[in-house]
Amino acid sequence: MVHSTGETRQQLPPEEPPGTGAQAHGPVPVGTPAVRPAFDTEHPPSAALIGDCVHCGFCLPTCPTYTLWGEEMDSPRGRIDLMKAGLEGAPLSDTMVQHFDACLGCMACVTACPSGVQYDELIEATRVQVERHHQRPAGQRALRAAIFALFPYKRRLRAMRGPLRAYQASGLSGMLRRSKVLDRLAPTLAAMEALAPPLERREKLPERVPAVGQRRAVVGMLTGCVQGEFFPAVNAATARVLAAEGCDVLIPRRQGCCGALSVHNGRQEEAERFARATVDAFERAGVQTVVVNAAGCGSSMKEYADLLADDPAYAERAARFAASVRDVSELLAELGTVAPRHPVDMTVAYHDACHLAHAQGVRAQPRALLREIPGLQLREIADPEICCGSAGIWNVLNPEPARELGDRKARTIADTGAELLVTANPGCLMQVASSLERQGTRIGLAHTVEVLDASIRGIPVRGLGIQR
Amino acid sequence: MAPTGDTVSLDAARTALSGACDDVREATAADAVDGVPASLVARPASTAEVGEVLRAAAGHELAVVPRGRGTKSTWGRAPERADLVVDLSRMSAVLDHAAGDLVVETQAGALLADVQAVVGTAGQRLALDEPVPGSSIGGTLATNSSGPGRLAVGTARDLLIGVTVVRADGVVARAGGRVVKNVAGYDLGKLVIGSFGTLAVVTEAVFRLHPVAPARQWVTVGVDSAGRAQELAQRVVHSQLVPAAVEVDWPGDGDGGAGSLGVLLEGTPAGVETRTAALTGLLGGGTAAGTAPAGWGRYPWDDDGVTGRATALKATVALSGVAGALDAGRRAATDAGTTLSWRGSAGAGVLYGALPATAGPDAVAAVLGPLRAACAAAGGALVVLDAAPEVEAAVDTWGPVPAIDLMRRVKERFDPERRLAPGRFVGGI
Amino acid sequence: MSVTHGTTTTAGPVPGDTPPEATSATGDAHRHSAGIEAVGRVARAVLPVTGVLSDPTQLRTYECDGLAHYRVTPALVVLPETTEQLAAVVRACAAHGVPFVARGSGTGLSGGALPRADGVLVVTSRMRTIREVRRADQRAVVEPGVINLAVTRAVTGEGYYYAPDPSSQQICSIGGNLAENSGGAHCLKYGFTSNHVLGAELVTPQGDVVALGGLAPDSPGYDLLGTVVGSEGTLGIATTAVVRLVRLPEEVRTLLVGFRSTDDAGAATSAIIGAGIVPAAIEMMDALAIEAAEAAVHCDYPAGAGAVLVIELDGAAVEVEHEYAQVERFCTEHGAFELRPATDAAERALIWKGRKSAFAAVGRISPDYIVQDGVIPRTALPEVLRAIAELSSSSGVRVANVFHAGDGNLHPLVLFDDAQPGAGKAAEQVSGAILDLCINHGGSITGEHGVGVDKAAYMPRMFSDDDLDTMQLVRCAFDPDGISNPGKLFPTPRLCGEVPGKRKHAHPLVEAGLADAF
Ligand SMILES: Cc1cc2nc3c(=O)[nH]c(=O)nc-3n(C[C@H](O)[C@H](O)[C@H](O)COP(=O)(O)OP(=O)(O)OC[C@H]3O[C@@H](n4cnc5c(N)ncnc54)[C@H](O)[C@@H]3O)c2cc1C
Ligand code: SF4
Ligand code: SF4
């Protein structure tokens, strides 16, 4: 009956403890003293945050790896135990790393935790330590290198476009090709390619889109790497919707990757580099608010303050910047909508992107915006808190469980009977699309702003896979 | 066989018992247990005395049969021996009624009716039906008897929250307590319910109580087949009308298929009225009345007109198997040249059947076979609660019992010498 | 494989053939290492590779349940997927005298699933199939690892639900519920797990598979099921449960009521129950508990309340209507300053979220705390609450109160900061004194969390030696070697010994012709 941060609390009757061995005890190092402990002293996962965990298990049912495997060490509670073991001196064994790596970073556990455990901070700190101290097998290292050489760079992504060009991609070394890394990447790239519009249909965005009617705000807009390359229509729709709702939209040309993938994978320095560049780009544009339409990007940009806290030149600016970041649905909800809506007679299932729902707590706003549209019927997907298995690059690194999660999600989506699936993250769209296809469900896919855009303009929704 | 005991040892036992309890007498024919003559009767006045009595009995290796008021002493199999009847009729006090806590504490020899009278003064009731009038608390627990009300409030296992028992070796033990919610320790109460006195003698019991509903209404509708009875019962249990009881009554002497389904609604006067209207709609008719239909809450073998010692059956089934069991029993009875009257909870899947005294061992056996199979197929069981000695001798009273080995082991631990109602219970326990 | 690795307990040397039950509560890692090896071999032969864990890193994550200050690393963890696999492991344990402990979701609050350093932890989290939903029979047949809430979710579409609803229902398992006889807010009207589990398949401590109860009620023979429910895993491992499904009520009204004090709220509760109303739930939270829940889930409870009641009425619409009017009146008469009925499902959910998150939420207002679980007769509520308040003010230890007011099940949360010297000790004293209060008022030391390892030493305060000895007769019948979750529930084990030999000669009275062996 004791919940305690330390492990020395016990509630025993005065006379006699129940059995000699069951008493509380201090930390006992696991492993032989010769072994190097898991973490160094530079920002290890915080003992205080770990101590907030009361071991209630409320986070377990929302954790995708726990629902898949039913194992404690692949649950948030178990991973926190492992971090604690690490702090107490246990070595960073392959097993331990494997369980940290298996975490999707979906942050469903953060939402679920009544005790307010900041698992997001814990796992990020842990990942940095893992990157620093753990040597992965060569194949894995190559795959990770390839991913980080590709995704955060728009130009390289563009070079990958077109099924043939993927294999001739410049900028990737022959070593990578030899290691069959591209074979692992190929399915993902193929999925992206299948969904993306043909190159010639890309809409170019101007640097400034003026507000329609009375100006109510001036906002900067992040275009994102994957979003920008593979889903340019989403960016175009975002700009139009914002303008229609009275925003001057500034789209700095020289923006790069926000660093989301890097920060979620423990690549601290790389992440910091991207973050500084992003802060610079939007500071130059001089906007009060930065609008994002990709959930993963938004969540990492809101955390710049922590990321750059140790950088005296950027700490304060990063904090200011982070406070100015809004998801597009969040901003629209704050502003209140004014542009008239035309009916969209469709049944729509809304899928919560983890980095929007769990990391940013944005759940009600997109639903409210969709409900405002006349004729649109909103359906809820069962187990909305469970990740679809995309999780940044997790599906590339863990294809099998990712497929299983995707298939589960596809089934619950199909159960809604909706004609259109709406979500706010490119990764989710791709992941769910391939599962839906595998299972033979025909359903349209669109980003929230695409539906809003269609409604405002009075045109049919132009999502993906919609029979036009 | 070693010629040890004789009247001398009986005298010695009697002396020892008299030291334990001031009311010990020689048994009469009326004290026989299901045809088995008893030798001695002790009427202890307290739990401590029961302990003393059982210790003395243990010292003299007496087989002990506890008795409340003897209304169901013929149920189960006849004991192998009944040297000593421990009669609890002197322990008939309702010890404490904590009205605010909806709890009553009573001695085991108390009449169920007396308990109801006490708690009734506060508008409360012990939600145990009394199918056999004159039953004591202890006897009700030991036989786990129940009636129509079990549908909504359950049976003794759902109401007993504390129990005091005396073991075969005379040790007094308590389990549970006086609060409704309590998970400290094993629930020994559950173990003694329905144990037919073979594990320990229950001396005191604590029950949770329910408020008496201000209004009751019975709706009865005729059914012409078992299938129809089940269909209507299903409609009622799947409705949101919150029935307090759903009973089927299907007398064997009626013409072919005529029976009825009776539903009890309890609540506020206005609420019951509205629900009654909804219910008759659901049933496609029916007669509503403020009093119970004839035979309500009585076992069919106790009905007027039943003469001699009928064979009493208890059939349990999953709800979807109600019609199957009713029909299987009926058909088998017809084939065996006899009749079977059914009555019981179609909403809970507990049905009581009566075969007339005229049905001899062969006829009863011919009914048991197919009926037992039907009950088993419906996830339940069939037991012969009571029967004439010649029938009882010829049939398998309890039928197959899945966890019998474990039950034997429990019995061995509680009563290693097999002195408590030996042979009365399942598997010869 | 090293079974001593990561062992965090020290038990004294144990004489050769004492049963595990008679050793320490947690076992001695050295004693059974050969046995563990043997069980491990069997487990690896019958289970999938991922179903047997012996890596110390992985074992470590199983060292405690929801009562995290008792920690013991198990020697082996198995995750069976079928009854056969589970039974094979238990049989191997029996053959080698290796103790085993069942674990469901590990949310228990009494250390019931605390492993043995010399034993096997049998985890049911991969036995998660709802085998059958039998609507016509109002039953479901489920595997033990099935999450409580999953049963309800599987049947709401058919108009049914599973009634016992512990606050942990989103994650606790049916097997764990069965073992603890778990209750919930709604057990005031609908009863506990024991009223809703009608059948089970049990793997006995010998590894035999037996059926107890079933789809139909009143199965012949002793009600072993009734004894197994609530036995905290000491009589074997349940591998299937047949549970009752309850029809969703036509109407549900949830009402949040703000009072100035717990006295007022308690008086309102008494008035409601006294009027013969049986609400589906009446839950009370005091100011401190409200503060915690507010911090955790922003449940928006009435500001400035000294206590709130969450009252739920359900049943036939006409009846609920009537009761609701009465409840409103009783609350107002007893000083309620705000009555807030939920107007839709979302509001109802938010009201309950505040209540159901309360335990874990206390972590937001206090670095450390003890969750107590005691029961008193409901009428003693005002007196006991005042006594707790006095205890709190005289010791300076803050106590937040959350409880099932309808049935007198208290959950005082004793707050402290372990960083302050002596604070832990003081909190323990207060917590223990609260249990004494419960016992002195004729109550119980646990209403739903179980005895486990945590309260075993308190059992003698509630029960005599003879009571405990009699309970252990059951234990000896099921598990004479004491290998099923040894060290839990009972303060001192009973050495079972052989069953005394049966009488061989005929009874004297029979011989004398005075009685007839029928
Ligand atoms: C925040 C919180 C709130 C809670 N609220 C409530 C509440 O409102 N009401 C309540 O009653 N409890 C409550 N609990 C306690 C706990 O959730 C229950 O006791 C629950 O039943 C435990 O289930 P589990 O699956 O986690 O079991 P575990 O903790 O894994 O095990 C509990 C016990 O059951 C045994 N066991 C597990 N599975 C089996 C099996 N298949 N066969 C035999 N034995 C088995 C274990 O050996 C152990 O003794 C709460 C706990 C927490 C953390
Ligand atoms: S972030 Fe997601 S995958 Fe990782 S532990 Fe939390 S819930 Fe599980
Ligand atoms: S919900 Fe929070 S406190 Fe509970 S186990 Fe998970 S992380 Fe720990």
Side-chain angles (χ1 to χ4, degrees), chain A residues 3 55-58, chain C residues 65-66 101-109 111-113 124 144 165-168 171-185 202 232-234 236-239 355-356 359-360 404 411 448-449 485 488:
Chain A
H3 282 144
H55 230 256
C56 69
F58 276 31
Chain C
D65 57 12
V101 177
R103 173 176 166 122
S105 299
T107 68
L109 290 175
T124 61
D165 62 336
S167 303
S168 52
I171 179 59
C172 61
S173 71
I174 293 291
N177 291 174
L178 184 153
E180 300 286 6
N181 188 14
S182 296
L202 183 79
E232 307 193 11
T234 60
I237 302 182
T239 45
R355 166 60 188 89
K356 295 207 169 186
F359 290 179
H404 309 296
H411 291 306
E448 53 185 22
H449 295 168
N485 209 5
K488 314 290 167 64

Side-chain angles (χ1 to χ4, degrees), chain C residues 118-138:
Chain C
D118 58 352
V120 179
L121 190 69
V122 182
V123 185
T124 61
S125 58
R126 287 192 183 157
M127 297 177 76
R128 291 234 156 120
T129 307
I130 296 178
R131 295 229 192 97
E132 283 182 84
V133 171
R134 304 175 64 110
R135 180 178 188 271
D137 297 330
Q138 302 185 315

Side-chain angles (χ1 to χ4, degrees), chain A residues 52-60 76-77 80 109 112-117, chain C residues 360:
Chain A
D52 288 342
C53 173
V54 298
H55 230 256
C56 69
F58 276 31
C59 51
L60 269 57
R77 184 172 68 173
I80 293 170
C109 51
C113 177
S115 198
V117 171

Side-chain angles (χ1 to χ4, degrees), chain B residues 119-427:
Chain B
V119 303
T121 57
Q124 298 175 358
R125 65 179 170 140
L126 170 53
L128 274 177
D129 288 315
E130 190 174 347
V132 182
S135 291
S136 70
I137 291 293
T140 302
L141 290 177
T143 55
N144 192 22
S145 60
S146 66
R150 63 174 298 150
L151 175 66
V153 281
T155 55
R157 81 194 294 278
D158 303 297
L159 302 166
L160 182 71
I161 57 173
V163 70
T164 305
V165 300
V166 180
R167 291 183 345 203
D169 58 4
V171 168
V172 175
R174 287 181 182 78
R178 284 178 49 96
V179 283
V180 170
K181 218 170 169 188
N182 176 11
V183 296
Y186 291 155
D187 193 346
L188 296 182
K190 301 259 192 314
L191 208 52
V192 295
I193 292 171
S195 67
F196 281 76
T198 59
L199 279 185
V201 178
V202 179
T203 59
E204 285 170 29
V206 187
F207 294 96
R208 68 179 299 188
L209 301 171
H210 286 76
V212 174
R216 319 177 90 189
Q217 186 86 257
W218 283 262
V219 176
T220 316
V221 64
V223 288
D224 55 10
S225 70
R228 179 70 179 160
Q230 175 172 320
E231 187 204 324
L232 291 183
Q234 283 277 314
R235 276 191 212 169
V236 179
V237 297
H238 294 309
S239 79
Q240 294 173 316
L241 293 169
V242 199
V246 178
E247 292 280 299
V248 62
D249 190 10
W250 209 21
D253 51 6
D255 62 292
S260 64
L261 192 81
V263 180
L264 170 63
L265 295 175
E266 293 184 338
T268 58
V272 167
E273 199 181 309
T274 316
R275 286 154 65 209
T276 301
L279 179 63
T280 43
L282 191 71
L283 294 171
T287 341
T291 51
W296 181 268
R298 300 288 300 273
Y299 292 129
W301 52 84
D302 288 337
D303 278 357
D304 299 343
V306 177
T307 50
R309 195 149 160 206
T311 297
L313 307 177
K314 177 176 180 182
T316 54
V317 287
L319 296 190
S320 58
V322 167
L326 292 175
D327 269 339
R330 256 311 170 64
R331 251 195 320 272
T334 311
D335 291 351
T338 183
T339 56
L340 173 58
S341 290
W342 279 121
R343 184 179 294 145
S345 180
V350 178
L351 307 165
Y352 298 95
L355 288 164
T358 50
D362 293 346
V364 173
V367 174
L368 284 192
L371 182 52
R372 199 158 254 162
C375 292
L382 180 82
V383 301
V384 181
L385 282 182
D386 193 8
E390 66 279 9
V391 172
E392 194 176 295
V395 301
D396 180 358
T397 310
W398 294 102
V401 177
I404 188 69
D405 285 346
L406 264 180
M407 292 178 192
R408 287 217 171 86
R409 275 149 57 187
V410 171
K411 168 75 175 179
E412 277 169 10
R413 292 288 171 181
F414 275 80
D415 180 20
E417 294 159 350
R418 281 189 81 243
R419 287 187 305 95
L420 288 177
R424 203 169 177 198
F425 202 42
V426 295

Side-chain angles (χ1 to χ4, degrees), chain C residues 203-368:
Chain C
V203 172
T204 68
Q206 294 75 44
D208 299 331
V209 180
V210 299
L212 307 177
L215 289 170
D218 293 6
S219 39
Y222 297 132
D223 185 0
L224 298 184
L225 178 67
T227 319
V228 165
V229 173
S231 64
E232 307 193 11
T234 60
L235 300 179
I237 302 182
T239 45
T240 307
V242 180
V243 301
R244 183 199 304 279
L245 302 176
V246 179
R247 184 72 173 95
L248 283 167
E250 184 182 16
E251 174 79 30
V252 180
R253 290 275 190 92
T254 310
L255 180 66
L256 179 69
V257 195
F259 291 90
R260 295 283 166 224
S261 69
T262 52
D263 272 358
D264 287 354
T269 306
S270 287
I272 292 166
I273 305 246
I277 297 171
V278 184
I282 303 192
E283 302 283 298
M284 199 194 295
M285 289 166 72
D286 71 3
L288 211 49
I290 297 170
E291 183 189 329
E294 214 46 85
V297 297
H298 314 294
C299 45
D300 193 24
Y301 281 4
V308 292
L309 286 180
V310 175
I311 305 173
E312 195 155 280
L313 299 166
D314 70 8
V318 266
E319 304 289 355
V320 171
E321 201 77 44
H322 178 81
E323 288 176 345
Y324 185 82
Q326 281 181 288
V327 165
E328 256 186 356
R329 203 186 64 221
F330 287 131
C331 288
T332 317
E333 280 173 11
H334 290 91
F337 68 86
E338 185 170 343
L339 285 97
R340 205 191 295 158
T343 56
D344 58 22
E347 282 186 23
R348 178 179 176 223
L350 192 63
I351 291 179
W352 276 115
K353 196 167 180 185
R355 166 60 188 89
K356 295 207 169 186
S357 308
F359 290 179
V362 166
R364 308 244 182 181
I365 58 164
S366 174
D368 304 279

